[in-house]
């Protein structure tokens, strides 16, 4: 299911979020059509991607349901790594899965730059070989210490090691790669949820931004 558009309009010292731009500002009653370019509606990019169309990426989705339908911001998340064809390798108490569906609404973090020719070429076999290692047998799974994140980060570090890079700790990977994306997603979800109940969501601008 596609996310409905979220629009942002800047007017009368506030940011107005809505699904459809109104002719008049709900905060002050002013005519938005006569307010010029400064008040033109801007469509916010949806932070969620169709995971199976994101090759060689680190994906995050809710363990149950989807971000835009029923996610409360606190439920468990599941992560996986895609191969070049968008098949998602992910690990749980049943072992490694190779999913060709079910990851249609994800936060996606690309892992390979276009100039990494050798890695692009060998990615699939590296991921398949890695997934067959004993560490990822079902009985090794442990919810807190040896889980889907352990699997995905261990693969990222295996690739980094092959390129002469230092491994990343869970905290480093989270801080550097996950938090910027999850914060953006969290803001978008807040707006999405507010607009499910009302036509507008108005955020006053801090004073220093009002005239910029």
């Amino acid at each position: 299911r596609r996310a409905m558009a979220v629009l942002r309009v800047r007017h009368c010292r506030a940011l107005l979020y809505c699904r459809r731009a109104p002719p008049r500002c709900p905060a002050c009653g002013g005519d938005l059509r006569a307010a010029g370019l400064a008040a033109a509606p801007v469509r916010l990019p949806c932070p969620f991607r169709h995971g199976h169309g994101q090759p060689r990426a680190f994906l995050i989705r809710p363990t149950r349901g989807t971000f835009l339908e029923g996610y409360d911001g606190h439920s468990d998340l599941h992560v996986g790594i895609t191969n070049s064809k968008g098949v998602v390798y992910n690990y749980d108490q049943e072992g490694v899965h190779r999913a060709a569906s079910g990851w249609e609404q994800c936060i996606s973090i690309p892992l390979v730059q276009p100039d990494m020719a050798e890695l692009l070429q060998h990615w699939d076999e590296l991921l398949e070989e890695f997934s067959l290692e004993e560490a990822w047998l079902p009985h090794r799974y442990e919810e807190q210490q040896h889980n889907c994140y352990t699997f995905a980060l261990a693969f990222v570090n295996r690739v980094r090691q092959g390129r002469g890079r230092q491994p990343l700790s869970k905290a480093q990977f989270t801080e550097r790669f996950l938090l910027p994306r999850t914060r953006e997603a969290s803001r978008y979800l807040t707006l999405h949820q507010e607009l499910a109940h009302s036509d507008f969501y108005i955020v006053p601008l801090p004073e220093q931004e009002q005239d910029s």
Side-chain angles (χ1 to χ4, degrees), residues 47-49 58-60 67 105-109 181-182 185:
F48 306 116
R49 300 282 174 270
F58 184 107
L59 301 182
I60 309 167
F67 280 115
Q105 198 184 97
C106 302
I107 296 171
S108 172
I109 296 145
R181 307 286 178 122
T182 53

Side-chain angles (χ1 to χ4, degrees), residues 4 9 11 29 62 79 82 88 94 151 173 183 187:
M4 289 176 69
V9 178
H11 196 255
V79 304
T82 51
V88 186
E94 295 171 3
F151 170 82
F173 186 81
R183 284 188 188 119
R187 285 193 293 269

Side-chain angles (χ1 to χ4, degrees), residues 41-166:
V42 175
R43 182 177 178 142
L44 299 187
C46 178
F48 306 116
R49 300 282 174 270
H50 192 301
H52 301 290
Q54 305 286 313
R56 307 177 190 91
F58 184 107
L59 301 182
I60 309 167
R61 67 163 171 81
T63 302
R64 292 178 186 80
T66 66
F67 280 115
L68 291 171
E69 291 176 34
Y71 182 65
D72 61 5
H74 305 290
S75 304
D76 287 346
L77 295 171
H78 194 45
V79 304
I81 303 271
T82 51
N83 70 6
S84 66
K85 297 174 183 67
V87 174
V88 186
Y89 283 64
N90 61 102
Y91 177 61
D92 63 14
Q93 59 268 38
E94 295 171 3
V96 176
H97 302 267
R98 295 158 184 79
S101 64
W103 295 72
E104 286 78 17
Q105 198 184 97
C106 302
I107 296 171
S108 172
I109 296 145
L111 294 173
V112 183
Q113 303 304 317
D115 61 349
M116 299 176 182
E118 191 174 345
L119 192 50
L120 289 169
Q121 194 179 342
H122 296 295
W123 184 267
D124 288 4
E125 60 192 78
L126 287 171
L127 183 54
E128 179 62 27
E129 283 173 15
F130 177 80
S131 70
L132 296 173
E133 292 178 4
E134 280 188 29
W136 316 118
L137 290 171
H139 71 274
R140 294 285 181 88
Y141 182 85
E142 201 281 311
E143 192 172 347
Q144 299 301 323
Q145 300 298 327
H146 195 78
N147 53 29
C148 60
Y149 197 147
T150 318
F151 170 82
L153 181 57
F155 181 70
V156 169
N157 280 329
R158 179 71 59 85
V159 170
R160 287 178 66 85
Q161 184 183 1
R163 304 187 71 243
R165 301 275 183 85
Q166 288 295 312

